Amino acid sequence: IETGEYANSSKDNQLVIKEKTEYANIVRADGNYCTVGTSSLSLLLDIISNADMVNVLKMSLYLNTSYNTIYNSNNKPHTNESLKDYLGFSSRSKYYELIKRLIILGVICKADHIVNKKKTTVFLMNPFLFSKRKTFHQSLIDTFSRFQISQTKKQ
């Protein structure tokens, strides 16, 4: 830090202190980060419980593909069963209640995923809330642009 004092030429003879600080920029090396849409998140925080928000944050850790698919740590898309286990739900009904709330709010949506002629359900995260990519498939943007996060307060 470089600091210098200069006499002011005014009648009061006040001192002006000038401080100059230079910082080096630091670049994250791992590249594993998640972008948060703060406006959407701010609205979401007003309408969902803290417990639901923790589950949404856990889902945002492993987003992948141009469809913002919610993956598991084994680099495979979550299924209903694997997502239920990952979020720590022992009750299927409580898990399905959470999924239903998040779909209604436009936080996530379900999609059919076909691999080796086998159909499974996968989950897509709203890219306006959380993402790990800069580019998305147009159909994902179209899907989530229909959802408006309600400004209803949580109960």
Side-chain angles (χ1 to χ4, degrees), residues 25-41:
N25 291 328
I26 306 297
V27 177
R28 290 184 53 171
D30 66 358
N32 188 10
Y33 57 88
C34 184
T35 302
V36 178
T38 53
S39 298
S40 298
L41 182 60

Side-chain angles (χ1 to χ4, degrees), residues 47-95:
I47 59 176
I48 69 171
S49 69
N50 289 341
D52 286 357
M53 191 63 220
V54 168
N55 287 316
V56 171
L57 287 171
K58 285 179 77 174
M59 286 186 256
S60 72
L61 293 177
Y62 299 106
L63 299 174
N64 204 342
T65 78
S66 63
Y67 289 98
N68 222 28
T69 307
I70 301 170
Y71 270 58
N72 60 32
S73 59
N74 296 328
N75 206 27
K76 294 183 179 177
H78 267 298
T79 61
N80 263 318
E81 196 60 34
S82 69
L83 187 57
K84 180 181 85 59
D85 293 343
Y86 171 66
L87 297 177
F89 282 90
S90 56
S91 165
R92 280 190 185 281
S93 63
K94 294 289 184 191
Y95 166 74

Side-chain angles (χ1 to χ4, degrees), residues 44 47-48 52 56 59 70 80 83 95-111 121-126 129 143-144 146-150:
L44 186 63
I47 59 176
I48 69 171
D52 286 357
V56 171
M59 286 186 256
I70 301 170
N80 263 318
L83 187 57
Y95 166 74
Y96 284 118
E97 287 173 15
L98 169 71
I99 296 302
K100 183 179 177 182
R101 283 192 303 273
L102 297 180
I103 289 172
I104 290 170
L105 291 171
V107 175
I108 63 172
C109 74
K110 287 184 176 184
T121 298
V122 296
F123 299 92
L124 312 178
M125 177 74 70
N126 185 332
L129 285 170
T143 298
F144 283 106
R146 295 182 209 144
F147 291 98
Q148 295 295 321
I149 296 177
S150 170

Side-chain angles (χ1 to χ4, degrees), residues 7-26:
N8 192 345
S9 62
S10 70
K11 294 180 182 178
D12 298 4
N13 203 17
Q14 296 175 349
L15 292 178
V16 176
I17 298 175
K18 184 178 180 180
E19 183 176 321
K20 181 180 177 186
T21 307
E22 291 186 28
Y23 295 98
N25 291 328
I26 306 297

